[in-house]
C-alpha cells in the first residue's frame, strides 16, 4: 500500500482564493492552528481574475446608499430566493471588510476627496463597486495573501484534496495528493472550511479555469452535506467570442459600468426592449437620458438621469444577447457589439487597462477605436453547499463552506461585485465559525484506516485500467452535453435528454485511464476531477428539470413565467443509497422588519 | 478574411525533468488567433495527457504560464501563433532560472520564501485613510505585478550567477517599492534592501523591464529610486543629518 505524509491542523482551509484566505486569516488570528491547501500556486486562484470590483455600500460616491438598499438590490437581483440572513449580513458587513482590506494594504482607486472610488454595476441602485481599474481581484488576493503569509499560516501549494473523512457524523480530516510528484498526504483536522470556488469546466464556453471542477461541491456532497439552488448557473452576458481560442474569456461588466453600449448588427441599442416591466422605471427611458447619465458619471457629477439599460441584471442582458443573435441580428462571429470607443481613449485605457490589452493582444481589436464582439459565457454558480448563515457551517458538524462553493447568498441570480464582497464577509465568518467550533469541541475525532485505503485506491485505479478512455474525451463529451441540454434556455425534453446522457457519461468517466508516472500528470488529475464534475453537472441538470418556472438565471421555455408558489422553496440535492436525491425545501422566511424594505419604493436614480 | 485554416504548426516541446529530457515534436492545427498555450493544450488533449504545464486565466492575468518560446521569455497565453512564420519551428521550454519539475513546470517556491522576509505593510495606528489618486499612481503601477517571475528569470544575477542565496531579484524590489512608497506605510526596509536583498547587485541592465508583461517600469520606477534611498540612508550621512535637523520625513521627501 502506498505511503502518505501526515499533517495535523485544528482548521484546514481548502482553497486559497478570497474566501479561503480570509477564512484562514480569521481562524489563525483567533489562536487556532491553520493549514491552507490550494490546487494552484498561491495567488493564482480565480479571485485573481476578478475585474470590475467589490460591492459595498460605503456611500463614498452616492451618499444615499446604505446597507438596506444594497440588501434590497441583492434580494431583487436574486429574485427573492436568497437566504435573507446571508444577504443581510453581507450588505451590513461588506463596508467594514473592504475598509479592512485597505488597512491591510490594498490600494483602491480614489475619489476626488481621497476616499475609495465606487463605480456603477448591473442591478446596483447606486455606484457601489470599489475597484482598482479592472484588476480588483488581483489587489484583493495579493493583499490577503501577504497578510496570511505573515500570520504564520501553513500553506500547501499545488495540492489537491480528493476526500473528506468523518468520525461518526463529525469531520476529522482530509486526503489529497501533491501535483508535483503525486505523493499522498493525510490531514488530520478538527474542522474544515471549503472555499474551492465554482464548476465552470463542465461547460464548453466559460470564463472559468481548469480549477473549476466543483471539488468543494462534490466533497461536501460525498460527505453528507446538501447542495441547494444548483439550477442557477450564471451566464455572464459579455464574454469574448472571437478568435476561437479566447471564446468565453470575460469582458468585465465594468465596461458597461463605465458607459459601454450594446448594439446589434442593425445598430439598434436593443437593451431598451428587454427591460422587465417590474424594474423598467429604474432605467433610462431613451438614449438621450442614458447619455446624460454616462456623461455625468464620467465627469463625476450628480444627475437626475436614470442609468442606462445595459446595466440591467446579468440574467436579463445574457438572455437579450442570446435572443438578438438567435433572431439573426448578431455580429459576424455570433455575438453583439459592445462599444466604449466613443469615449476619450486615454480615459478608457486608464479605467479598463486589462480589457484594452486583452482585446489588443488576443483579438487585434483596439477598444478605443471600435466596438468589441461579445456573447454569453458560463461564469458563476449561485448554487452550492447549504450553510447556516451566521457561522457558515454545513449540516455536517465541523464542515464549513464559504465563497462561490457555498449556496444561498445570491439566490437565483448574483449581482456583479457581490462575489468579491461575499468572499470577505463569509470568509471571515467561516474562519470565526470554524475556530469557535474547534474550541468547543470535546473528544478527539479519529480517521478510520479503511477510509484512507479507500481514498488511495480511488487515486490508483486510473493507472490500473489497461482498457480505458482518454479523460479529455470524457470532459469534452460532458461539455457538449451541458452546453446543449442545460444551457441558457431550458425545456423539459432537453433536460431529460441531458440527465440520461449524464448517466451514460458517468459510466464512461469510471473508465477514464491514466498513463505514465504520477509526476505532474494532468491526465491523471482529470480522471479524479471528472468524478466531481459529474456530481455537479447532475445536480445542475436534475435541479433545473425539477423547477417548473423561470426565475433569475433559470429560464424555462416551457414555463416562461415566475410563479409565486416556487418563490418559497429551494431545490436541494443530497447523496443517498439509490443515487442523487432531490427535494424542495422551504426557504427561510424573512422577518417582517426586513419585508418592510420592499414595500416603500424609493425613487431610484443615480 | 479566411477564418478556417488548415495550416499546421510544428512545435518542439521540452519533455522531461531536472535530470534528463528532450524536445519532442508535435504537429498542431492552427486556428485564427491561437496562442502557444492553446497549442500546448491541444497536445495535452489529443496526443499526450501527461504533458505538464501551468495555467489558470488564459488572459495574461494570473502569471502562471511563463515559459521560453523560441528563446523569448513570455506568457504562453499571450504569445500568438501567427507571430511565427508558417514554416518556423516553435521551441517551447520551461523558464531557465528555476529547477524543472516536469516538462514546462518549474519549482518557483524560492520566490515565495523571499516574499515572506519582506516587512509587510505597516500603517500608523492613527493613520488618516484619506489619500489621493496622485499619491498612489506609482504604487498602483507596482501592484499590477502578476508574479509571473519572468523578470526573475531573465535577471543575470539569478539566471547566470545563480545568486538566489543573496539577491532578492527584481520582482521583490518591485514589491518593496510598492510598500515603501505607500503614502501611509511607516516601516523602513532600506537596511533589508541593502543587507539582505542586496539591491547593490543590480547593475541596471533593464532586462527585467523588457520582459514584464504588465509593463511595469521595474528599473526606472522601482529599483533606481530604491537605490537612491539606500544611498541617501547609508552613504550620505551629512544629507541624512540635515534632513533630520530640518525634520523632513524620509518618505514624504521622496514622494
Ligand atoms: C474573469 C472573472 C472575473 C470576475 N470578476 C468579478 C468581479 O469583478 N466582481 C466580483 O464580485 N466577482 C467577480 N468574479 C467572480 C469571482 O471572482 C469568483 O466568484 C470568486 O473569486 C471566487 O472566489 P473563491 O474564494 O470562492 O474561490 P477561488 O478564488 O476560485 O479559489 C478557489 C480555491 O480553491 C482551490 N481548490 C479548488 N479545489 C480544490 C481541491 N480539490 N483541493 C485543494 N484546493 C482546491 C483552488 O486552487 C483555489 O485556490 C469574476 C470571475 C471571473 C472568472
Ligand atoms: S536591471 Fe537589475 S534587476 Fe533588472 S535584470 Fe538587470 S540586474 Fe537584474
Ligand atoms: S514585475 Fe512584471 S515580470 Fe516581474 S513578476 Fe511582476 S509582472 Fe512578472
Ligand atoms: S494563464 Fe494566466 S497568465 Fe497565462
Amino acid at each position: 500500500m502506498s505511503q502518505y505524509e501526515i499533517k495535523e491542523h485544528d482548521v484546514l482551509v481548502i482553497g486559497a482564493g478570497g474566501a479561503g484566505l480570509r477564512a484562514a486569516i480569521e481562524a489563525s488570528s483567533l489562536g487556532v492552528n491553520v493549514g491552507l491547501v490550494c490546487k494552484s500556486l498561491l495567488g493564482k486562484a480565480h479571485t485573481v481574475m476578478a475585474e470590475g470590483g467589490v460591492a459595498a455600500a460605503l456611500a463614498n460616491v452616492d451618499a444615499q446608499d446604505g446597507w438596506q438598499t444594497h440588501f434590497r438590490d441583492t434580494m431583487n437581483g436574486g429574485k427573492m430566493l436568497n437566504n435573507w440572513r446571508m444577504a443581510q449580513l453581507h450588505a451590513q458587513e461588506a463596508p467594514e471588510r473592504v475598509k479592512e482590506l485597505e488597512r491591510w494594504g490594498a490600494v483602491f482607486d480614489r475619489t476626488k476627496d481621497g476616499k475609495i472610488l465606487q463605480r456603477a454595476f448591473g442591478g446596483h441602485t447606486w455606484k457601489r463597486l470599489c475597484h482598482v481599474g479592472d484588476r480588483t481581484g488581483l489587489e484583493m488576493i495579493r493583499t490577503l495573501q501577504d497578510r496570511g503569509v505573515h500570520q504564520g499560516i501553513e500553506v500547501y501549494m499545488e495540492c489537491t484534496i480528493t476526500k473528506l473523512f468523518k468520525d461518526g457524523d463529525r469531520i476529522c480530516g482530509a486526503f489529497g495528493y501533491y501535483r508535483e510528484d503525486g505523493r499522498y498526504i493525510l490531514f488530520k483536522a478538527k474542522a474544515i472550511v471549503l472555499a474551492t470556488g465554482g464548476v465552470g469546466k463542465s461547460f464548453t464556453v466559460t470564463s472559468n479555469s481548469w480549477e473549476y471542477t466543483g471539488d468543494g461541491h462534490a466533497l461536501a456532497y460525498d460527505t453528507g452535506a446538501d447542495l441547494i439552488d444548483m439550477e442557477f448557473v450564471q451566464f455572464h452576458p459579455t464574454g469574448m467570442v472571437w478568435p476561437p481560442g479566447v471564446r468565453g474569456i470575460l469582458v468585465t461588466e465594468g465596461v458597461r459600468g463605465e458607459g459601454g453600449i450594446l448594439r446589434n448588427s442593425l445598430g439598434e441599442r436593443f437593451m431598451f426592449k428587454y427591460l422587465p416591466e417590474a424594474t423598467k422605471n429604474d432605467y433610462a427611458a431613451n438614449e438621450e437620458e442614458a447619455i446624460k447619465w454616462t456623461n455625468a458619471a464620467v465627469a463625476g457629477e450628480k444627475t437626475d438621469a436614470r442609468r442606462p439599460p445595459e446595466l440591467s441584471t446579468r440574467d436579463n442582458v445574457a438572455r437579450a444577447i442570446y435572443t438578438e443573435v438567435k433572431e439573426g441580428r448578431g455580429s459576424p462571429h455570433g455575438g453583439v457589439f459592445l462599444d466604449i470607443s466613443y469615449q476619450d481613449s486615454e480615459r478608457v485605457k486608464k479605467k479598463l487597462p486589462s480589457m484594452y490589452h486583452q482585446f489588443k493582444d488576443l483579438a487585434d481589436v483596439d477598444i478605443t477605436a471600435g466596438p468589441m464582439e461579445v456573447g454569453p459565457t458560463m461564469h458563476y454558480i449561485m448554487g452550492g453547499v447549504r450553510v447556516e448563515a451566521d457561522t457558515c457551517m454545513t449540516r455536517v458538524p465541523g464542515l464549513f463552506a464559504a465563497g462561490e462553493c457555498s449556496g444561498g447568498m445570491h439566490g437565483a441570480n448574483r449581482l456583479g461585485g457581490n462575489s468579491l464582497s461575499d468572499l470577505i464577509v463569509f470568509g471571515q465568518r467561516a474562519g470565526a465559525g470554524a475556530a469557535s467550533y474547534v474550541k468547543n469541541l470535546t473528544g478527539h475525532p479519529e480517521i478510520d484506516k479503511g477510509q484512507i485505503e479507500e481514498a488511495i485506491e480511488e487515486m490508483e485505479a486510473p493507472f490500473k485500467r489497461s482498457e480505458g478512455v482518454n479523460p479529455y474525451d470524457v470532459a469534452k463529451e460532458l461539455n457538449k452535453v451541458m452546453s446543449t441540454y442545460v444551457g441558457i434556455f431550458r425545456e423539459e425534453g432537453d433536460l431529460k435528454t441531458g440527465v440520461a446522457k449524464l448517466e451514460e457519461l458517468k459510466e464512461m468517466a469510471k473508465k477514464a485511464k491514466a498513463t505514465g508516472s504520477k509526476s505532474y500528470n494532468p491526465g491523471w488529475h482529470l480522471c479524479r476531477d471528472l468524478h466531481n464534475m459529474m456530481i455537479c453537472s447532475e445536480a445542475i441538470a436534475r435541479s433545473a428539470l425539477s423547477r417548473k418556472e423561470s426565475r433569475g438565471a433559470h429560464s424555462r421555455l416551457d414555463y416562461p413565467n415566475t410563479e409565486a408558489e416556487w418563490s418559497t422553496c429551494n431545490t436541494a440535492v443530497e447523496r443517498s443509497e439509490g443515487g442523487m436525491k432531490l427535494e424542495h425545501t422551504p426557504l427561510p422566511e424573512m422577518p417582517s422588519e426586513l419585508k418592510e424594505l420592499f414595500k416603500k419604493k424609493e425613487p431610484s436614480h443615480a | 478574411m479566411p477564418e478556417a485554416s488548415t495550416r499546421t504548426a510544428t512545435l518542439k516541446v521540452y519533455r522531461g525533468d531536472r535530470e534528463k529530457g528532450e524536445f519532442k515534436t508535435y504537429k498542431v492545427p492552427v486556428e485564427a488567433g491561437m496562442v502557444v498555450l492553446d497549442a500546448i493544450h491541444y497536445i495535452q488533449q489529443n496526443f499526450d495527457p501527461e504533458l505538464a504545464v501551468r495555467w489558470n486565466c488564459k488572459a495574461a492575468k494570473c502569471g502562471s504560464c511563463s515559459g521560453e518560446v523560441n528563446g523569448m521569455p513570455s506568457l504562453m497565453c499571450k504569445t500568438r501563433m501567427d507571430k511565427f512564420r508558417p514554416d518556423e519551428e516553435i521551441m517551447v521550454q520551461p523558464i531557465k532560472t528555476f529547477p524543472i519539475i516536469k516538462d514546462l513546470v518549474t519549482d518557483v517556491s524560492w520566490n515565495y520564501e523571499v516574499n515572506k522576509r519582506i516587512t509587510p505593510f505597516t500603517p500608523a495606528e492613527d493613520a488618516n485613510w484619506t489619500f489621493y489618486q496622485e499619491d498612489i499612481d506609482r504604487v498602483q503601477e507596482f501592484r499590477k505585478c502578476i508574479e509571473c517571475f519572468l523578470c526573475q528569470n531573465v535577471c543575470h544575477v539569478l539566471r547566470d550567477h545563480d545568486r538566489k542565496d543573496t539577491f532578492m531579484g527584481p520582482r521583490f524590489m518591485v514589491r518593496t517599492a510598492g510598500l515603501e512608497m505607500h503614502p501611509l506605510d511607516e516601516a523602513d526596509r532600506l537596511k533589508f534592501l541593502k543587507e539582505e536583498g542586496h539591491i547593490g547587485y543590480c547593475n541596471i541592465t533593464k532586462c527585467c523591464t523588457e520582459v514584464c508583461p504588465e509593463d511595469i517600469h521595474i528599473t526606472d520606477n522601482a529599483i533606481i529610486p530604491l537605490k537612491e534611498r539606500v544611498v541617501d540612508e547609508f552613504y550620505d550621512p551629512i544629507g541624512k543629518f540635515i534632513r533630520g535637523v530640518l525634520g523632513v520625513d524620509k518618505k514624504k521627501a521622496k514622494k
Side-chain angles (χ1 to χ4, degrees), chain A residues 503-523:
Chain A
E503 286 301 321
E504 290 165 24
L505 273 181
K506 258 201 265 180
E507 293 311 309
M508 198 169 150
K510 285 185 194 148
K511 295 194 198 116
K513 92 171 171 194
T515 51
S517 79
K518 282 187 191 160
S519 165
Y520 221 111
N521 184 340

Side-chain angles (χ1 to χ4, degrees), chain A residues 554-568:
Chain A
H554 174 63
S555 311
R556 290 279 301 249
L557 291 168
D558 42 357
Y559 301 98
N561 300 323
T562 303
E563 308 289 350
E565 78 225 53
W566 282 99
S567 67
T568 52

Side-chain angles (χ1 to χ4, degrees), chain A residues 40-46 48-51 102-115 117 131-135 138-139 142-143 145-147 149-150 157-158 179-181 201 207-211 242-246 249-250 332-333 350 354-355 357-364 470-473 476 515-517 519-524, chain B residues 1-4 17-18 31-35 38 41 44-64 77-80 82 101-103 105-109 112 115-121 123 129-134 136-137 139-149 171 175 178-179 182-184 213-215:
Chain A
S40 288
L41 295 172
L42 192 56
K44 312 291 183 195
H46 249 74
V48 79
M49 297 174 222
E51 296 163 356
E102 180 166 79
R103 292 195 291 272
W104 293 351
V107 184
F108 290 99
D109 287 356
R110 316 307 291 176
T111 62
K112 283 182 197 148
D113 52 354
K115 293 192 245 164
L117 181 61
H131 60 276
V132 186
D134 53 7
R135 51 167 196 87
L138 171 64
E139 189 66 23
R142 211 57 92 227
T143 303
Q145 181 183 340
D146 286 321
R147 180 87 191 175
V149 164
H150 287 101
M157 296 200 285
E158 299 202 307
R179 299 170 63 75
E180 172 173 355
D181 51 8
K201 267 298 153 198
S207 64
N208 295 175
S209 87
W210 67 270
E211 290 201 307
W242 183 259
V246 299
I249 292 182
L250 194 76
H333 301 106
K350 168 98 189 134
S354 39
M355 283 306 108
H357 285 289
Q358 187 172 309
F359 273 91
K360 195 138 184 81
D361 297 341
L362 302 176
D364 299 320
N470 178 345
Y472 287 98
D473 291 340
K476 251 184 262 173
T515 51
S517 79
S519 165
Y520 221 111
N521 184 340
W524 177 44
Chain B
M1 184 174 62
E3 284 168 358
D17 54 25
R18 239 164 264 201
E31 277 183 320
M34 193 167 176
V35 293
D38 291 322
H41 281 159
Q44 216 177 37
Q45 288 171 14
N46 296 284
F47 309 136
D48 213 337
E50 285 171 63
L51 169 58
V53 62
R54 278 199 187 102
W55 71 284
N56 281 71
C57 67
K58 230 176 96 47
K61 290 194 173 71
C62 72
S64 302
C77 70
K78 218 181 137 178
T79 310
R80 295 266 297 256
D82 52 16
I101 292 177
K102 193 183 136 192
D103 304 340
V105 175
T106 56
D107 178 0
V108 291
S109 56
Y112 291 87
N115 191 34
K116 278 188 199 160
R117 289 167 31 216
I118 301 173
T119 307
F121 179 57
W129 293 92
T130 306
F131 51 91
Y132 301 91
Q133 190 62 41
E134 58 270 26
I136 54 162
D137 276 336
V139 176
Q140 286 189 329
E141 177 189 355
F142 302 143
R143 294 185 67 90
K144 285 196 306 191
C145 169
I146 55 175
E147 298 206 321
C148 65
F149 305 129
R171 155 60 189 138
R175 163 114 187 95
L179 292 162
H182 189 298
L184 298 180
E214 286 291 307
D215 295 325

Side-chain angles (χ1 to χ4, degrees), chain A residues 227-232 486 490 495 499 536-548 554 556 566 571-573 580 582-584:
Chain A
L227 309 178
I228 56 166
D229 298 340
M230 291 296 284
E231 64 273 42
F232 299 106
V486 200
R490 301 158 171 183
L495 289 167
V499 169
C536 295
S537 302
E538 185 180 349
I540 295 169
R542 288 192 189 275
S543 303
L545 182 60
S546 82
R547 184 172 283 274
K548 296 187 172 23
H554 174 63
R556 290 279 301 249
W566 282 99
T571 314
V573 298
M580 189 173 280
L582 187 143
E583 261 186 321
H584 291 114

